[in-house]
Structures are given as structure tokens and as C-alpha cells.
Amino acid sequence: MSNTRIIAISGGSGSGKSLFTKTLIAEILDEGMDIRVLCEDHYYRDQTHLSMEERLQTNYDHPQAFEHELLEKHLAQLKAGETIEYPEYCFKTHTRLSQSQPITPASVIIVEGIMLLASPELLPYFDLKVFIDTPLDICLLRRINRDVQERGRSLQCISEQYENTVKPMYHKFVAPSRFTADVIVTQGGKNRIALDVLKSHIQQVLK
Ligand code: CTP
């Protein structure tokens, strides 16, 4: 399957990458197209050998927090028409789960995550690079709601993590990575025109 096209969707934490990707995929799948999605989050490093205390010290907003070697290998395998074992990750225990899920190759693969465009080793795999550009105050508000509701975090822990790592790493790695993007999307998952542009690009590829 050498014609496989890989699309990267990146942007800061809480920028709306997931909603944008979910909306796009739902509309494309409705039309019966052959497409898969991978989340960079699933490639956070396995930390089962570390204590909870040590896991809390990890900087999850640094490119090194991800096992990009494995993601790279999986992208190459999918391009070669091979099935991959997609890892599972738990945000409550900060580590990888023991089970994985087989993902079969497809004509279009979408990868979504914060450090995709900040990682030079991954860039050659992407046929199209999209950056979701959302003001930081909106990202933070979404992140607070999401972390309390879905990731079992306290407000104190969210604000400490934001000051210590999320914000500085955003400025160091994520924001500059927008310059590698082919398309910059404002207003996240609600940007109807950007969704239509991406959809028609994917339809062209799948023709
Ligand atoms: N993270 C964390 N604890 C972990 C692993 C990751 O708090 N054990 C946080 C990191 O701080 C990082 C964020 O998870 O900033 C990455 O996920 P994010 O991009 O926020 O998730 P999405 O739902 O993909 O984002 P979006 O709101 O853009 O859809």
C-alpha cells in the first residue's frame, strides 16, 4: 500500500485537535471511505517500572515523553501495508496499558498530537501537515474542564503542571512547530471551511 497518505494534525493541548479530527473522520466514514486515526497520546512512554511519585515528575509536554521511535515504526509499517499493534495509554496512572489493538492499513491515516510537527524525525512521514491554532486562554479553559472530568486531576495539580511544563513547553516546542505546517486552522473543530478543505483533499487522495 505505497499510496498511503499520512495527515498530521497538531496544535497545543486543548486546541481542539480531537474535535477537529473526530468531526472530519465522522463525515468521511459516512461516505464509506477507507481511513484510520492514530493519537500521539497513545505513544506516551511506558512508565510501569516507575513509582507513581516518579511518574508525577515526568514532563509530559516534552517530545522525549513520547516513544516516537515506535510511532515512526508504525507509520512505516502502515505505509508498507502492514497491520500494527496500537498501544493503549492511561492518563490516570500515567502509563501504558498491557493491552494493544490491531490497526489495519488504509489509504489515509490521520495522526493527531501536540508534538508531531516539533519532531523532525516524524516530518518526512507526513504528506500533509495541519496546525490547529487556538488562543492559549481558550486552550487552558478546555484543558481544565477536560482534566477534571476525564483525567481525574485536581485544580491545584492542573495549575502547577500548566505553569511548570505545559505553558513553557508550548512556547518552546509547539508554537514554533506551526511554521512546518502546510495548513493553519483557526477556530479548531468548529471551522467549517477548514473541515471542507481537508475533506475535499482526502476525497481527491482516495479517488
Ligand atoms: N498529559 C498529562 N498526563 C499524562 C500524559 C499527558 O497531563 N500522563 C498531558 C500533557 O501535559 C499534554 C496533554 O496531556 O499537554 C496532551 O493531550 P492533549 O493534546 O491535551 O489532548 P487532546 O485531547 O488530543 O487535545 P485537544 O484538546 O487539542 O483535542
Side-chain angles (χ1 to χ4, degrees):
M1 190 150 325
S2 53
N3 281 336
T4 301
R5 308 273 294 181
I6 302 182
I7 299 173
I9 299 184
S10 196
S13 170
S15 60
K17 302 178 295 295
S18 314
L19 179 63
F20 187 84
T21 307
K22 245 187 245 158
T23 311
L24 186 65
I25 290 297
E27 294 183 15
I28 288 171
L29 287 178
D30 260 3
E31 296 175 19
M33 294 188 198
D34 186 27
I35 191 157
R36 308 276 181 275
V37 182
L38 303 182
C39 293
E40 189 190 28
D41 288 350
H42 286 235
Y43 292 84
Y44 270 115
R45 291 188 189 278
D46 183 16
Q47 300 197 118
T48 38
H49 57 292
L50 299 181
S51 67
M52 190 50 129
E53 209 42 51
E54 289 169 310
R55 293 179 201 176
L56 292 173
Q57 303 303 317
T58 303
N59 176 354
Y60 294 101
D61 289 84
H62 193 282
Q64 281 301 319
F66 297 93
E67 196 181 347
H68 277 161
E69 315 84 274
L70 183 62
L71 175 57
E72 221 184 308
K73 185 178 155 205
H74 283 174
L75 295 179
Q77 284 181 299
L78 288 167
K79 271 211 186 248
E82 293 167 21
T83 298
I84 60 158
E85 280 301 320
Y86 185 49
E88 289 285 342
Y89 184 77
C90 174
F91 283 96
K92 290 186 177 154
T93 56
H94 307 276
T95 194
R96 201 170 283 173
L97 300 176
S98 54
Q99 70 263 32
S100 59
Q101 178 201 340
I103 294 208
T104 53
S107 306
V108 175
I109 311 286
I110 296 189
V111 199
E112 174 254 301
I114 53 173
M115 288 298 160
L116 297 175
L117 305 187
S119 306
E121 71 279 14
L122 294 177
L123 294 181
Y125 288 90
F126 304 140
D127 299 290
L128 177 67
K129 302 184 272 300
V130 179
F131 187 90
I132 310 286
D133 202 4
T134 304
L136 268 190
D137 55 344
I138 296 179
C139 292
L140 175 59
L141 284 175
R142 285 204 194 121
R143 184 176 166 111
I144 293 170
N145 287 329
R146 193 258 332 265
D147 280 3
V148 168
Q149 284 166 21
E150 296 169 24
R151 296 187 182 174
R153 310 284 167 88
S154 67
L155 274 179
Q156 191 191 341
C157 142
I158 295 168
S159 65
E160 278 170 14
Q161 188 189 14
Y162 188 77
E163 279 301 324
N164 293 337
T165 54
V166 182
K167 190 171 153 197
M169 297 298 112
Y170 172 84
H171 289 298
K172 186 166 182 187
F173 295 108
V174 185
S177 80
R178 87 184 64 197
F179 297 108
T180 68
D182 303 299
V183 178
I184 294 186
V185 175
T186 56
Q187 302 156 50
K190 294 199 177 117
N191 188 330
R192 190 60 253 171
I193 293 185
L195 284 164
D196 286 342
V197 168
L198 262 278
K199 231 169 91 178
S200 80
H201 174 82
I202 292 169
Q203 281 159 343
Q204 285 296 323
V205 168
L206 292 174
K207 252 188 200 161

